[in-house]
Structures are given as C-alpha cells and as structure tokens.
Amino acid sequence: MKKTEKKLPIHWEKSTIGEIFEVMGGGTPDTKNEHYWDGSIPWATSADLDPNHQITFRKSITNKGLANSASNLVPKDSVIVATRVGLGKVGLAKTELCFSQDCQALVFPKDQCSPYFTVLQMSLIVQNFKAISRGTTISGITKKQLLETSFLLPPLPEQHRIVEAIESYLTRLDDAIASLERALVNLKRYRASVLKAAVEGRLVPTEAELARQEGREYEPASVLLERILAERKQRFIEEEAEKERAKEEAKARDKGKPWTKKDDAKALQKGREKAEAKYQEPQAPDTSELPDLPEGWCWASLGQISLFVTSGSRGWAQFYSKQGAIFLRIGNLTRESISLDLGEIQRVSLATNVEGTRSLVKKNDLLISITADIGSVAVVKDLDEEAYINQHIALLRPSVLLSPFFIGWFLKSELGNELLLRNCRGATKQGLGLNDIRETPIALPPLVEQSSISEAIENIASQQENSKHVISANIARCQRLRQSILKWAFEGRLVDQDPNDEPASVLLERIRAEREGQASTSAAKEASPAKKRGRKKKTEA
C-alpha cells in the first residue's frame, strides 16, 4: 500500500537543498607547503563543528593555499555540513571561512532564509544521512545525495517565529540538563565526602566511643593487627611444613621405604623449624608523615594484613573462548564502586595441563589495576563462577580477621588512593609493582567498626546509585524532548501559522530567480580569459 505523504502546513513548500541553496565543496591545501598555511583565512574540518553548531577554528590558510586547493571561501551565515568524516555534524559560519573535503557548505540566497532555521532543520536531516550511510563501505553521502535531499520551506516570518520558539524551549531544556548534570557532580562530591568521613572515623560512632558509653571493653586495632600477624605467620609455617612433609614422604616412597605417622610428625616438625627461620615479618608503614587516627585505630600496611599479594600471568589470549571461566580485565574494575562490573566479560577455556592457580580468584579477594587505569579497585563478593585475572591486575587476599569491604572502600577514598599511588613509577609507562602494593599504608579500625563503616557506605552508595539512575533517566528524557521539539517545529506544530504571511511559494520563486541570476553571472566570469589564466582547476570534494 502506497504511503500517504503528510499534508504540509499552510503556505509551506517542499523543495530540495539543491534548489534553494548553492552547495559548495571543500578541500585541503598541500600540508607540506608552508606557504599555504597560517594565513588570515579560517579553515575548518568536521572536527571543528561542535554539538551546539558552533565552529571553533584550529587552523587557517593563506590566499595562495585557497587558490591551490579544492576549498572554497563561503560567506558568513553559510551552513557547514559534515558529509564524510564526522557525518551528522552541522555548524553555522559566524564569519567568512573555507573548509576541508569532509564538508559541504549551504550558501544562502540573500535575505530569503533564516540561517539558524536552516541549521536546526539540517540537524534533523543529517540523522537520515547516517541511516543512508550505514552499512556502506565508505561512511558518508555524496554531493548529489545532498542536493536531492528534501527541505521544508515555511514563509520567512514563520521561520523566525520557529527559531524564536525553539531557542526558548531549548534554553529551558539546556538549563534543566545543566541542573541535572550539576546534581550528578554533587553526587560524586558527596560520595568523596562520605569516604573521607569514613576513613577519618567520622561516619559512624567509633568503637572506642561506644565502649565508653556502654561501660565495656573493646579490642583496639593494634591488638587485632597482632592477631592478624600471628595468624599470617602460623599459616605460612603450616603451609611450608606441609610442603616439607610431602617432599619427605615422596622421597621415602621413591626409595620403597614405608611412611608412618611418626615420620609424618617428624617431617612436619622439621618443616616448622625451617619455616620459622625462613619467615620474614611484613614491613610496617612509616607513620611519621601519616595523619593522626581516631582512638582505637592503627596504621598497618597492605602487606601486613594480607595472606599474599600476587598478579595475573600473561599469555591468556590463546585460551579465549565463548564458554568457560570468567577472565577479569581492567574494564571489569570501576572507579565508582567496589563491585565488579560484569556487563562485558571475556571467557577462557583452560587446557587441563595449564597451571592457573596464581591467577585464580576467590571470594573476598581485592583486585587492583596496576597498569593503564591505575588504582581501580574491586572486591570479589558476588562471583559464583570460576574466574581468573590478567597481568594488569594485582590480587590481594586479606586476612579472614578483616572486612575486605572496608579495605576496598579505604582504597577508593581520596586518602587511600593517594597512598596507593604514591609509589606509582615509570616515565613513559606508569605502573604499580607488587611491593608498592604491599607497602601501601591503611588506616585500620577495630573489626566491629570496619563492618559498621562498610555497611554505612554501602547504604549511602546504594541510595546514590538510585539517585544517579533517576538523574540520568531525566537527562535522557530531556534529550529525547529536544528531538521532539525539532520534529514538531518542522511539522508546523510548534508555532501558529499566520494566513497573512507571504506564502513560501512566492519566496521559492524569488530564490529560483536569484539562483538563476547567480548562475548566469558565474558562467560569464568563468568564460573570462583573465579568470582562466594561471588558475589551477579545482576538483570537486
């Protein structure tokens, strides 16, 4: 069934861009010729057209550069349309200018069209350009396609009324969007202030204060740290002792000797003694330049409170697969939260003989990016699948006597992030080493207080995330309304039509007559021998 064409508003005419405007192409002077550049003529590319239809010049050319290129000098109020690179951008010339081959210029018939009306209508039309271009080898539209594009022409007074109405609506929309964006910025600032209060012991009542009020004892963080260090040492000794026992048993069985419980005990004891002598206490932080802490808190290093710190290995690309274990990369760590972002994940399928233990992630592990976007942090909490990390991520396994969530939020705070990154090194490629992470200081509250702080932060973060979604949805709604306003405008539904306006048919006839006169004048000039002499032929962009 044939689609019925919409009826035009009163006194409107439907024409084409080629019938109404002179369309001129652009070009680029030889970039190696210094005599063509840094002149007095502004020269624009599609990159100079911004979303508000402004044109910001970064380069200029000379008269010689203009004469020896395919570019054209167009007058003020010409509309510049990106038709290749940057397809969909539209700008209004506030001065004479020339431009690159990625653009075409719509030059106005004198006093017959509103420049800004044209810009606004073109901002809608170019959306169709993107649809036409999509799927083709070269992204862009031809000059022929541009010339044949339909253009709606209202009476000139109505064009001005439409522009005035659009500007009024869009100004209010822009104000609303600006307010919403300020709200997003304020949310971010509030989050930073919450974390600052948390790591300074001001977010929740301290355990020391509560213990005094309730007339009870409490375990200060310094005692907790002693327990962590003892647990850490004991774990190391037992793991080393088991390695020694397994090694001795293997030797005995290789020699065909029986292995008894007495042998087990003897080997374990020997292993413990060797491990005791081998064990090195993790380095404590230098607190001389660190801020004072609330009562009951103490400074520790990440190395002191961790069972171990390691990083992922290289060479995982060969194991990429559509199925298998999750492979965590820097993109899965965020700045906003300590949760993993699993929106986009890579999977790996490991061969049975591949050793991936060092890169295997467990619940409550802390992950820290050590290259590229350095200092992003996540805590593994809602990951029920097998997962591994790449070489750009460090894995820190904290003591079970700590809240991994508090550690994660501390490292997200301004203070924590500053302490984490202070050893960031490398002139051309910055990065964190594992020792840098081990040496990073952390302000440690009593265990109960760690949990209280983490819970308070999580509650506030959840509320902030909800607010952020609402604000973002309203910004998107404003953006959609912007497009609706433009659509209504060019359907004749934004302002009232005035039957006393001169019909656009009369306006179109004047434009045609003016265009024909210009064409005759141009033909005469081109036929002039003086014009032909010494002038290089310009190729159409």
Side-chain angles (χ1 to χ4, degrees), residues 500-511:
N500 296 318
D501 285 342
E502 178 188 73
S505 56
V506 178
L507 175 61
L508 187 58
E509 286 303 319
R510 281 205 305 273
I511 292 172

Side-chain angles (χ1 to χ4, degrees), residues 47 66 68 207 351 391:
L66 177 62
N68 288 278
E207 186 65 4
Q391 73 272 22

Side-chain angles (χ1 to χ4, degrees), residues 210-414:
L210 292 175
R212 268 196 302 273
Q213 291 172 10
E214 298 166 7
R216 60 173 172 82
E217 298 293 325
Y218 77 99
E219 181 187 66
S222 56
V223 176
L224 173 63
L225 181 58
E226 289 174 3
R227 289 203 293 131
I228 291 170
L229 292 172
E231 178 230 18
R232 186 181 187 279
K233 181 177 180 179
Q234 188 60 34
R235 183 187 181 95
F236 174 82
I237 289 173
E238 292 304 320
E239 286 178 352
E240 291 297 307
E242 175 54 29
K243 290 177 186 176
E244 181 69 22
R245 188 209 63 77
K247 185 173 70 172
E248 291 296 325
E249 181 182 2
K251 284 181 183 179
R253 297 197 183 283
D254 287 344
K255 293 177 181 179
K257 293 181 180 180
W259 186 258
T260 66
K261 289 184 178 180
K262 186 176 179 180
D263 295 327
D264 241 12
K266 184 177 178 181
L268 285 170
Q269 182 59 31
K270 179 182 176 183
R272 291 187 184 104
E273 290 172 359
K274 288 174 68 174
E276 180 85 34
K278 179 182 175 182
Y279 182 74
Q280 291 184 343
E281 289 288 347
Q283 184 177 337
D286 177 4
T287 61
S288 59
E289 296 183 2
L290 295 175
D292 293 335
L293 294 175
E295 183 183 354
W297 290 40
C298 76
W299 284 105
S301 67
L302 289 180
Q304 285 181 300
I305 63 172
S306 303
L307 300 178
F308 65 86
V309 177
T310 187
S311 63
S313 53
R314 300 174 183 275
W316 285 85
Q318 60 182 312
F319 302 116
Y320 284 0
S321 171
K322 292 183 179 179
Q323 296 179 333
I326 292 175
F327 186 56
L328 298 171
R329 299 173 293 179
I330 288 181
N332 300 119
L333 280 60
T334 72
R335 291 284 180 182
E336 299 302 316
S337 168
I338 59 170
S339 298
L340 286 167
D341 180 359
L342 300 177
E344 293 184 14
I345 57 173
Q346 176 66 56
R347 292 189 177 273
V348 289
S349 181
L350 296 179
T352 54
N353 60 343
V354 174
E355 197 281 309
T357 305
R358 184 162 67 88
S359 302
L360 180 64
V361 173
K362 292 186 178 181
K363 186 177 180 180
N364 291 337
D365 284 348
L366 272 92
L367 307 181
I368 302 171
S369 59
I370 54 177
T371 65
D373 185 19
I374 306 167
S376 292
V377 179
V379 178
V380 180
K381 50 182 175 177
D382 297 322
L383 194 61
D384 297 325
E385 298 182 57
E386 182 182 4
Y388 297 87
I389 55 171
N390 69 5
Q391 73 272 22
H392 303 296
I393 298 176
L395 183 154
L396 184 154
R397 187 157 296 156
S399 165
V400 294
L401 300 176
L402 291 171
S403 164
F405 309 112
F406 173 81
I407 302 170
W409 284 119
F410 178 86
L411 295 175
K412 286 278 187 183
S413 71
E414 184 178 352

Side-chain angles (χ1 to χ4, degrees), residues 25-81:
T28 303
D30 184 355
T31 55
K32 296 180 181 178
N33 192 322
E34 62 181 17
H35 300 295
Y36 292 170
W37 295 91
D38 298 325
S40 60
I41 304 172
W43 180 82
T45 71
S46 58
D48 299 323
L49 311 182
D50 72 18
N52 296 317
H53 313 304
Q54 302 294 317
I55 304 177
T56 304
F57 303 107
R58 294 175 296 172
K59 293 183 179 181
S60 61
I61 63 174
T62 62
N63 286 315
K64 185 177 285 188
L66 177 62
N68 288 278
S69 75
S71 194
N72 285 287
L73 186 65
V74 295
K76 175 186 176 183
D77 288 336
S78 298
V79 174
I80 310 301
V81 182

